[in-house]
Amino acid sequence: MKEQFDSLMKRAKDLPDGEAKIALLEEAVRLADTYQQTELGFSARMELTKATVYAGRADKAFTTFGWCLAHYDKQPEAYNSLAVMWQYKWIVEKLDRFPTISLEQMEAMLEDLKQRYTALGYNERFYHQTKFVFAWRRGDWEEAEREYERWLAVPRDTISDCVACELDLQLDYLLSRDQFAEAYERVRPIVTGQLSCSQSVPHITFANFLLPLLQEGRLEEAAMFHERGYRLIHDQPGYISSQAKHLKYLTIVDRARAISCLEKGLPEALASADPHSKFEYFLAASVLFAYLDDREKQVLHIPEYVTETWLQEQTQMLARQFDERNGTTHYSDRIREELREVTLLAGRVRAWQMEQKAGQEEGEAKARAAWEALMRGVEAHDPEAMFRLALALLEGGPEEQQEGIAWLRRAAEAGRLDAAHVLAEQLFERQAAEEGAALLRQTAQAGDPQAMNQLGYRLLFGVGLPANQEEGRDWLRKSAEAGALSGMFQYGLCLLDGLGGSQELEQSEFWLQRAAEAGHAVAMQVLGTLLLEGNLFPHRQEEGEHWLRRSAEEGYPPAMHQLGSRLITGHVLTAQPEEGKQWLKRASEAEYGPAMHELGYRLLEGDGLAKSSLEGEVLLRRAAMVGEEGAMLELAGRLLQGDGVAFRWEEGFEWLRKAAATELPEAMFLLSCYLLDYPDLATHEGEAVEWLRKAALTGHEKAQALLDELGKA
């Protein structure tokens, strides 16, 4: 019997979520019950609950989990309480999707879950999240807003949903409240893949944004969200509500594809036992039918009984059931609102598409004319035309790049110094340093300011050329005096650091100011910092703040980060925490790791800013994912300890390994400590000591002391 049971479980594990997997697990349950094997029946039902929830069959999950919960209550010490309570979440959050379950029953189960969580040491975050969702879905906006705030005010803990799922839920709510700008600003980590959940995010996220993007006139982004999102769900069970949103989107932008989408997605909706999903899909299908002509309806490959009238009746019947249960008219109101919304949006989209097509045709005509003019110039051996053609070819693949280098040579031979300078840099990149150096020096001597700057930089730091700081400094001076923006900046830094000669602070400030005044954003930030700190340059706060703000306004991420940090802490500048937060957010939007790390930390801790655990954790994770070493280490520590985030030991240890791989001393030391305490986690014998030695070599005192204690120094 055990062998047969194990075979069924293994076969089920290898299958994707769906009816076939559910059938195998149901057979395993029957087998366990036949032989009165309670433990096997429990494990099979836990897997069956998971499979039914993921496949959109919550109706079956209610029964299987009820059995598991009853047995857990009889002997809680015999089972994994976290696993049971996690599945209890799934059951409770599905309750309002079934209008036959009363509000009183929903409330009773939610209160039971709350009491169980409290007894096990979990907080009320998920409790308030679920109350918020229930109120939102029944159209009780006042209650939803109240519970939304309560949800986000409670710190995340072990039983909280993953960060990606919580963020997706928050974004969907913001979209429903017409707060597109905030939702769009915060969806970036999901769209870029920095945050995801294998079962739902970004699958449903893309669907949620489709109509809001159209409403904002972002047709190309909406098309991208549709293509990426539909690819994830079109052949997967359990995404009926998201399929409905894709169907509405296609009804607006491409009716032929909408018909195809309906033919593929309708069978699952018809077979579904989830009334809420049925309502969503039938409503979307009704909207499509309102746009179809008689010929299109007749050739549809769908069951004959599914007509426009039938869909309307089914949708209205489901709406009545939900509204009667909820004591509202929310579902009935949605039927009228969605048809009106799609009608208005379809008209606007068609107008935008016509404008877009006209603009595209005009742009293509201009591009053709510009290209023909360029080729006429090339045929006439015009040096500028040859240079522009070369630059265009360098943007292509390897063959185009080789052709581009050939045209650079021709333009350089025709007297274009800028072409010679670019050619020299290309030669350096292609390991032809000797030829590149000769050409760069020749171009600099011929008076090209950018070539002077590049030659000076390479000589100063020995990049591709033997280092000669004195000569490098002289070439930077010539570049600066010739008016090269980067030359003025580099020469200013050279004088500041005393490279290739003495330190000359007055001249350094002069050249940095020249570069800043000419629009060099990095020079603005360096000059502003030096004037604010008053260590090397005279302290001039107003002028320093001016240049730091100018750099931030130019979009330079380190300047935005520094300005935001100073405004939050009041360091040198007058404290303005809210403005400071906005600057840190702008730097974070530019994917600047240090800014994401600092803002994430401040929001998690409530340090200088109002506490927001979800937003803080999202930013901390984004910083870690872009390679910010300190963020990796902090995220690891928080996950390992459950400090301000949900306790996730395995994930925390994985982040600790990633942080150690960057050779961050503290990360290497902490990893070695964990490996000493848990030797089974080591990839090979002696790994802990290897990390200790690496940390000690950086001067980490605790690592060295532990090595001495272990006798491994």
Side-chain angles (χ1 to χ4, degrees):
M1 172 268 171
K2 182 66 164 59
E3 185 177 341
Q4 185 182 356
F5 177 86
D6 290 342
S7 174
L8 288 168
M9 295 295 286
K10 184 180 184 304
R11 287 164 59 197
K13 183 179 180 181
D14 294 337
L15 287 175
D17 295 316
E19 292 301 327
K21 183 171 189 171
I22 291 172
L24 284 176
L25 290 170
E26 287 176 333
E27 180 61 28
V29 168
R30 282 192 291 271
L31 186 64
D33 289 351
T34 299
Y35 288 90
Q36 298 182 343
Q37 297 292 314
T38 302
E39 289 188 11
L40 295 182
F42 186 92
S43 63
R45 282 180 172 87
M46 290 289 283
E47 286 301 315
L48 180 55
T49 300
K50 179 180 178 181
T52 52
V53 167
Y54 286 173
R57 292 302 308 272
D59 57 309
K60 290 192 172 188
F62 293 157
T63 303
T64 58
F65 181 75
W67 187 97
C68 291
L69 187 62
H71 280 72
Y72 168 81
D73 285 341
K74 291 176 184 176
Q75 199 177 1
E77 68 280 358
Y79 303 103
N80 183 331
S81 63
L82 177 59
V84 175
M85 291 302 106
W86 196 274
Q87 289 204 356
Y88 201 2
K89 284 172 46 176
W90 295 344
I91 299 303
V92 169
E93 65 186 2
K94 300 293 185 185
L95 294 174
D96 76 324
R97 304 177 73 89
F98 295 80
T100 53
I101 300 176
S102 69
L103 295 179
E104 293 73 22
Q105 290 172 313
M106 290 162 52
E107 184 66 25
M109 284 192 70
L110 186 54
E111 289 301 319
D112 178 66
L113 176 139
K114 175 185 173 183
Q115 291 174 15
R116 291 173 183 273
Y117 278 17
T118 300
L120 290 168
Y122 304 131
N123 65 30
E124 295 184 5
R125 185 177 180 91
F126 181 76
Y127 169 77
H128 288 297
Q129 174 186 321
T130 308
K131 285 181 72 71
F132 147 65
V133 172
F134 286 174
W136 173 31
R137 282 208 283 245
R138 69 173 179 263
D140 187 344
W141 297 106
E142 187 175 320
E143 174 73 6
E145 189 64 28
R146 185 162 53 247
E147 290 298 333
Y148 175 79
E149 297 297 335
R150 288 173 177 168
W151 163 43
L152 296 180
V154 181
R156 285 174 44 74
D157 67 356
T158 306
I159 207 70
S160 298
D161 285 349
C162 77
V163 176
C165 288
E166 282 204 0
L167 179 59
D168 173 81
L169 177 60
Q170 187 179 32
L171 297 179
D172 195 16
Y173 179 63
L174 291 172
L175 291 172
S176 74
R177 303 299 280 164
D178 296 326
Q179 297 178 36
F180 176 84
E182 183 177 353
Y184 184 78
E185 174 189 316
R186 300 182 64 181
V187 75
R188 182 184 180 90
I190 292 177
V191 175
T192 59
Q194 292 174 325
L195 290 177
S196 63
C197 174
S198 60
Q199 294 300 324
S200 58
V201 180
H203 309 55
I204 62 177
T205 314
F206 287 127
N208 293 340
F209 270 83
L210 290 174
L211 264 61
L213 282 168
L214 288 182
Q215 288 166 345
E216 295 293 320
R218 299 172 180 261
L219 274 61
E220 291 184 3
E221 284 180 271
M224 182 270 287
F225 273 47
H226 165 66
E227 294 298 335
R228 291 181 61 184
Y230 192 64
R231 192 183 312 126
L232 289 171
I233 68 171
H234 78 279
D235 59 350
Q236 299 295 320
Y239 295 101
I240 297 174
S241 294
S242 294
Q243 292 261 16
K245 293 177 181 179
H246 283 277
L247 182 58
K248 279 186 284 188
Y249 164 79
L250 290 173
T251 298
I252 294 169
V253 302
D254 191 333
R255 208 160 69 207
R257 291 179 63 197
I259 291 171
S260 175
C261 180
L262 175 71
E263 292 173 342
K264 291 177 181 177
L266 182 61
E268 184 185 0
L270 293 172
S272 176
D274 181 334
H276 179 79
S277 294
K278 282 175 134 11
F279 172 80
E280 295 285 352
Y281 200 90
F282 291 166
L283 177 55
S286 296
V287 172
L288 171 61
F289 262 80
Y291 279 85
L292 299 180
D293 57 36
D294 291 339
R295 183 190 59 80
E296 289 171 320
K297 292 175 184 177
Q298 289 170 1
V299 298
L300 279 172
H301 294 92
I302 60 175
E304 289 185 9
Y305 69 85
V306 180
T307 64
E308 183 174 5
T309 300
W310 185 87
L311 285 168
Q312 290 172 349
E313 290 173 349
Q314 293 295 310
T315 306
Q316 290 165 1
M317 178 190 70
L318 288 165
R320 282 196 303 273
Q321 291 175 356
F322 278 108
D323 287 342
E324 287 172 6
R325 192 271 309 274
N326 296 334
T328 67
T329 60
H330 179 63
Y331 279 77
S332 298
D333 292 342
R334 280 191 55 197
I335 296 174
R336 293 186 295 274
E337 290 169 0
E338 297 227 354
L339 180 57
R340 187 180 73 251
E341 178 188 16
V342 169
T343 301
L344 291 172
L345 194 50
R348 291 167 63 190
V349 168
R350 280 196 293 273
W352 286 330
Q353 288 173 330
M354 291 174 63
E355 291 176 9
Q356 193 176 56
K357 183 179 180 181
Q360 185 177 356
E361 290 173 350
E362 183 181 352
E364 289 174 355
K366 288 182 178 179
R368 282 195 301 272
W371 179 256
E372 291 167 0
L374 177 63
M375 296 312 296
R376 286 195 297 272
V378 169
E379 290 169 3
H381 305 291
D382 175 33
E384 181 179 354
M386 290 190 283
F387 181 45
R388 286 167 52 204
L389 176 60
L391 293 178
L393 289 167
L394 288 174
E395 296 294 323
E399 292 184 6
E400 288 87 351
Q401 290 176 8
Q402 286 299 322
E403 188 179 352
I405 289 174
W407 282 108
L408 278 178
R409 289 187 186 279
R410 294 187 184 111
E413 290 165 359
R416 291 284 304 207
L417 292 180
D418 49 3
H421 166 226
V422 174
L423 175 59
E425 290 302 313
Q426 289 291 322
L427 292 169
F428 274 112
E429 288 181 16
R430 286 165 170 72
Q431 311 304 315
E434 186 175 342
E435 183 184 359
L439 182 58
L440 184 62
R441 188 176 289 276
Q442 177 185 336
T443 308
Q445 290 169 343
D448 182 69
Q450 295 300 331
M452 295 176 191
N453 176 54
Q454 283 298 318
L455 180 59
Y457 176 82
R458 289 181 177 278
L459 288 167
L460 198 67
F461 297 105
V463 181
L465 292 172
N468 185 331
Q469 289 196 337
E470 188 174 344
E471 185 185 1
R473 175 167 168 156
D474 191 50
W475 277 113
L476 287 179
R477 175 187 58 79
K478 292 177 181 177
S479 175
E481 291 174 349
L485 186 56
S486 54
M488 290 187 275
F489 173 62
Q490 293 289 350
Y491 185 51
L493 291 182
C494 185
L495 295 170
L496 181 69
D497 296 332
L499 298 177
S502 61
Q503 185 182 51
E504 298 182 30
L505 295 179
E506 287 188 10
Q507 279 295 297
S508 173
E509 182 180 348
F510 170 80
W511 285 109
L512 287 175
Q513 181 141 354
R514 284 274 307 271
E517 289 170 348
H520 198 290
V522 186
M524 295 175 194
Q525 190 246 357
V526 172
L527 179 61
T529 302
L530 290 167
L531 292 171
L532 284 171
E533 293 299 327
N535 295 326
L536 297 175
F537 291 1
H539 176 69
R540 299 199 294 276
Q541 180 171 331
E542 187 175 342
E543 188 179 347
E545 182 177 353
H546 164 77
W547 286 117
L548 184 58
R549 283 186 177 277
R550 278 282 307 276
S551 181
E553 288 161 1
E554 288 289 325
Y556 184 50
M560 293 190 278
H561 175 210
Q562 185 189 153
L563 178 60
S565 185
R566 287 179 182 273
L567 289 169
I568 291 171
T569 62
H571 179 59
V572 182
L573 302 181
T574 303
Q576 299 178 61
E578 280 308 308
E579 184 189 357
K581 179 182 179 181
Q582 293 308 311
W583 280 114
L584 286 185
K585 286 180 73 172
R586 285 185 59 181
S588 298
E589 288 162 12
E591 297 293 294
Y592 187 58
M596 288 190 275
H597 183 190
E598 179 175 346
L599 183 54
Y601 168 81
R602 292 188 180 282
L603 291 171
L604 278 166
E605 293 295 319
D607 184 356
L609 297 172
K611 199 168 187 176
S612 177
S613 60
L614 176 58
E615 188 179 358
E617 185 176 346
V618 168
L619 285 160
L620 182 60
R621 286 178 175 276
R622 288 179 61 194
M625 288 177 179
V626 299
E628 178 66 19
E629 299 169 358
M632 292 182 191
L633 180 58
E634 183 180 341
L635 179 59
R638 288 182 180 276
L639 289 167
L640 288 165
Q641 301 298 323
D643 179 13
V645 304
F647 173 72
R648 302 280 191 270
W649 205 95
E650 290 183 3
E651 186 186 2
F653 188 74
E654 182 182 342
W655 276 112
L656 184 57
R657 276 199 175 279
K658 290 179 179 179
T662 68
E663 300 189 354
L664 190 66
E666 184 66 12
M668 293 191 287
F669 171 66
L670 289 175
L671 177 58
S672 67
C673 292
Y674 272 97
L675 292 174
L676 288 169
D677 290 340
Y678 305 99
D680 290 346
L681 296 174
T683 58
H684 58 275
E685 188 176 351
E687 185 188 8
V689 173
E690 289 176 10
W691 284 112
L692 263 183
R693 286 181 175 144
K694 287 181 179 180
L697 286 173
T698 67
H700 195 285
E701 295 180 359
K702 290 183 179 179
Q704 186 60 58
L706 186 52
L707 273 177
D708 294 340
E709 182 182 330
L710 295 171
K712 301 289 186 178

